[in-house]
Amino acid sequence: MKTRTRAQAKLITAQLLSGAGIASGYAVGGLLAEEITGKTSMAGIAQMSVILGAGLIAYPLAVLAGKAGRRTALTLGFGIGTIGATVVLLGVALQFLPLFMLGMMLCGSATASGLQARYAAVDLVDPANAGRAMSLVVWATTVGSVLGPSFTAPGAHLGAALGMNELAGPYLISMTAFGLATLVASTLTKKIKPGAAEAVPESTESAESGDSAVEPPTMKLGPALRFALARPVPLFAMVTIIAGQMMMTNVMVMTPVHMDHQEFSLGAIGIVVSVHIAGMYALSPVFGWMADRWGPGTVIAGGVLVFATAIILGVIDATAEVSSMVLLSIALIFLGIGWSMFLIGGSALLTASVPQHAKVTLQGASDAAMNLGGALMAAMAGTVLQAGGFLWINLMATVVLLITLAFSIRAVPLMHWPGRGRTPTATKDDAAETSQVR
């Protein structure tokens, strides 16, 4: 028990530090891109680069975790993020957009590692407690992520004091936080491997039992995706994870730019980002408990309602004569809560509905797809904001939400709802089928 507790504490600490590093530069990334290029339409390129980087490295890190364990994958991922923050500072100093974008993409590796950490937590516990274990690591990001934007103004002063562009200053904090997360991840036990809750032994009894069934080797990407696409529940789980990221990214990356155009101060922008990130993570243990108690579908259904509320509030602000910081703050809190419900509900549903040897592949694939989908929305967001303002940004999120509902039609009757039994997990027939198509 002590070994598992220490491993969970280290995952939580690394996630906290990573969250602080990511959030520190979150509020200024779009402003830096706009400053370097001189174009509002390019404001979304900063977060697009981060999310694209996370999407590109998520699956390779998952494959590495399957082969070498979570410690190696997480240490490498956070380490690349540290290098990325350094490259961002160099790109801003040279006012060279390609270098700035490269640095932001490398920072995305820290995001991908933070996402993988939630599955590492699941590897340490009984499957019945998967939702709660996952949510605790997600929740750990709350402290770092809420404090991170609060460092925006001090970071800017630090950058100015060092003779740097003051908007680049927060990335000094990001670089330090990612570096510390790398050190913490490097101290994890080697025995944390995907899909093996008993991989970190609590006693010598686990080593003495040699009658466990031999698990088929990890599925490759193509067969795993075909398996998921042919089944409504795993498919809906992946769509939920991807859609939540797309909606959140679309609105969030343009909110600081929208507020800047409305002449809000940098401090006010940082506060709104902070409350949004608090919404993303603070209630995650509640959603994890709900997923374990009433099923992931209940959490996802609640997320639909919360996302709808966030979009409605965003539309109200966009159509008002004067933008309201209070209204934007409430909308962004709901946006963060909806993202959390989709992430935890979708991840728990995916973990419960696929065979063991397909999990790590589909976990990596869904994380890659969610970030690539978010990158697509971020890439489009600047142009959309310039063409139709904040109203069109919220209408884009509405389209994604409706698509998610369309995918739910076939999955809902097969999912666990209170009083109807649990979500059907992968059967032996599924396992046999997947082993034949590998």
Side-chain angles (χ1 to χ4, degrees):
M1 182 65 71
K2 290 182 179 179
T3 303
R4 293 186 179 184
T5 301
R6 284 197 298 268
Q8 289 173 328
K10 289 176 181 178
L11 285 172
I12 288 171
T13 302
Q15 186 77 331
L16 186 154
L17 291 166
S18 175
I22 293 167
S24 178
Y26 206 102
V28 298
L31 301 178
L32 281 169
E34 187 176 29
E35 178 184 283
I36 292 173
T37 63
K39 298 178 180 179
T40 299
S41 61
M42 298 296 285
I45 199 171
Q47 292 307 319
M48 180 209 74
S49 299
V50 174
I51 301 165
L52 178 62
L56 292 175
I57 201 169
Y59 182 70
L61 284 179
V63 173
L64 180 61
K67 293 180 177 180
R70 298 288 190 187
R71 184 180 78 171
T72 300
L74 293 175
T75 300
L76 178 62
F78 289 131
I80 293 173
T82 306
I83 295 172
T86 306
V87 175
V88 166
L89 292 171
L90 183 59
V92 174
L94 298 176
Q95 290 288 289
F96 187 48
L97 183 63
L99 190 61
F100 170 76
M101 290 176 60
L102 174 62
M104 296 296 280
M105 287 181 67
L106 293 174
C107 285
S109 179
T111 300
S113 296
L115 289 170
Q116 187 182 129
R118 76 190 192 276
Y119 290 124
V122 173
D123 297 336
L124 294 169
V125 301
D126 184 272
N129 298 320
R132 277 166 283 189
M134 183 186 305
S135 64
L136 284 175
V137 173
V138 174
W139 173 84
T141 315
T142 305
V143 177
S145 296
V146 171
L147 290 178
S150 301
F151 295 144
T152 299
H157 294 318
L158 176 61
L162 295 175
M164 303 166 52
N165 183 319
E166 65 175 15
L167 289 178
Y171 281 94
L172 291 170
I173 298 172
S174 298
M175 180 178 65
T176 303
F178 292 155
L180 291 173
T182 304
L183 290 176
V184 173
S186 69
T187 66
L188 287 167
T189 175
K190 294 180 180 179
K191 297 183 180 181
I192 305 179
K193 291 213 170 181
E198 65 276 8
V200 181
E202 295 184 21
S203 70
T204 57
E205 293 178 3
S206 60
E208 294 172 355
S209 60
D211 57 349
S212 58
V214 177
E215 187 69 31
T218 300
M219 291 182 69
K220 294 182 179 180
L221 181 61
L225 288 177
R226 287 195 293 272
F227 175 87
L229 291 173
R231 290 159 177 78
V233 175
L235 177 59
F236 176 59
M238 295 181 70
V239 169
T240 298
I241 295 170
I242 296 165
Q245 181 76 1
M246 291 178 70
M247 288 185 285
M248 186 275 293
T249 302
N250 175 60
V251 177
M252 185 57 244
V253 298
M254 285 297 103
T255 298
V257 181
H258 168 66
M259 293 182 68
D260 184 62
H261 292 173
Q262 298 294 317
E263 299 184 352
F264 285 97
S265 67
L266 189 61
I269 294 173
I271 291 172
V272 171
V273 171
S274 290
V275 298
H276 163 69
I277 296 175
M280 289 174 68
Y281 301 111
L283 295 178
S284 57
V286 176
F287 304 143
W289 176 81
M290 288 173 61
D292 290 338
R293 179 68 178 81
W294 293 312
T298 303
V299 181
I300 296 171
V304 170
L305 297 177
V306 172
F307 264 126
T309 302
I311 292 171
I312 291 171
L313 293 175
V315 169
I316 293 174
D317 184 84
T319 54
E321 292 186 6
V322 179
S323 184
S324 166
M325 180 177 171
V326 173
L327 190 60
L328 282 173
S329 296
I330 297 173
L332 268 292
I333 289 174
F334 275 95
L335 185 74
I337 293 173
W339 175 87
S340 182
M341 298 181 85
F342 267 37
L343 179 71
I344 293 173
S347 299
L349 184 62
L350 179 63
T351 299
S353 61
V354 298
Q356 186 62 59
H357 56 289
K359 285 181 182 179
V360 65
T361 303
L362 291 175
Q363 287 168 356
S366 63
D367 280 357
M370 71 180 279
N371 283 295
L372 292 175
L376 175 64
M377 298 297 278
M380 298 169 56
T383 301
V384 172
L385 181 69
Q386 189 173 40
F390 202 52
L391 174 62
W392 282 23
I393 292 293
N394 283 277
L395 292 180
M396 284 178 66
T398 303
V399 172
V400 176
L401 185 60
L402 292 175
I403 292 173
T404 306
L405 290 175
F407 276 94
S408 73
I409 295 173
R410 292 178 59 210
V412 164
L414 304 175
M415 291 163 56
H416 162 53
W417 301 99
R420 280 186 47 190
R422 299 202 59 80
T423 301
T425 55
T427 64
K428 292 182 179 180
D429 291 339
D430 286 335
E433 179 184 339
T434 55
S435 64
Q436 290 171 2
V437 300
R438 190 173 301 101

